Amino acid sequence: MPVNNPVAQLLADHPTLILDGALATELEARGCDLSDPLWSAKVLIENPELIYQVHLDYFNAGAQCAITASYQATPQGFLRRGLDHAQSLALIAKSVQLAQQARSDYLAAQPQAAPLLVAGSVGPYGAYLADGSEYRGDYRLPQEEMMAFHRPRIAALAAAGVDLLACETLPSFGELQALLALLREFPTLGAWFAFTLRDSRHLSDGTPLAEVLAALRGNPQVLAIGLNCIALDQVAPALRQLAGLADKPLLVYPNSGEHYDAVSKTWHACGGEHGSLTEQAAEWQALGARLIGGCCRTTPRDIRAIAERCRA
């Protein structure tokens, strides 16, 4: 059976696919306390209606793809909260249903906006560790154990009907290889792969991007390749590297421009010498990015500005 590729279908009609922005930090801005190992997945338990509202706000801002609140939603993480396996899978499915409902409600009012996508977020093992290692990649698991960690969430996302997976904030080449192997168990489901970086030429774990891209090349289940949750000044140099290596559409959804301290779990303002996310979006397009959005600390206002800039 062929791989479903909604990214290619949408890009056939649009020069740029606009992604949504931050979920967790937007939930914090609306009063949620996410000082918890479950991070945004905690809100699936406590206030799922707020997740729906954030998704709807991003669609209203011009996003064409919602990323589900499943980044840190795993049976292993929920077990720490006393939830059993079935309850955990139900919450992962809930993350998809909230995004799908927001899409349906938006399209009921704006049918001309179709098609819109729902991407199931697959955060790295480092996110489950909740120690900042998704920015370092300094963890190791045998491939079978890594696949066993990711399998229940991916199965739940697939069963709930996501259009594709968003394998994101990946710092580790070994984890990337495990995810590629696991995808073969879901042969019609595609995914994008977005990385964190040590510098413009290396994954966070030090693997050269050339080696990473060679592993992804030619795989029909890989729908797009790029970067997320990185600083603004890293984006253009890394895109220049990826443009010469990738055989898939490029995507980028960086942080707002502030710096995240993974130890203190706090954000700090940076100088504006690299310009704003919105100001750089046109440059990213020129460098080949076809999917553009925002990650931590970005807002619906940012996505609206990006959408207007990219469609100008």
Side-chain angles (χ1 to χ4, degrees), residues 114-197:
L116 301 175
L117 306 181
V118 172
S121 176
V122 178
Y125 183 74
Y128 159 71
L129 297 176
D131 62 358
S133 56
E134 62 262 58
Y135 307 106
R136 303 188 306 268
D138 56 353
Y139 50 83
R140 299 288 184 272
L141 279 182
Q143 181 164 300
E144 285 299 323
E145 291 184 29
M146 186 66 79
M147 292 170 66
F149 169 80
H150 284 291
R151 184 178 287 110
R153 175 173 47 185
I154 289 178
L157 292 169
V162 294
D163 298 301
L164 70 158
L165 299 176
C167 297
E168 53 184 355
T169 328
L170 297 175
S172 159
F173 186 55
E175 186 164 22
L176 166 68
Q177 292 173 306
L179 285 167
L180 288 173
L182 183 56
L183 263 185
R184 292 197 290 269
E185 299 178 13
F186 305 87
T188 64
L189 186 61
W192 78 51
F193 288 81
F195 315 113
T196 62
L197 303 178

Side-chain angles (χ1 to χ4, degrees), residues 92-116:
I92 294 167
K94 181 72 170 177
S95 75
V96 180
Q97 293 155 9
L98 292 166
Q100 290 171 332
Q101 187 62 53
R103 173 174 63 182
S104 295
D105 291 349
Y106 178 70
L107 288 176
Q110 304 288 341
Q112 75 283 357
L116 301 175

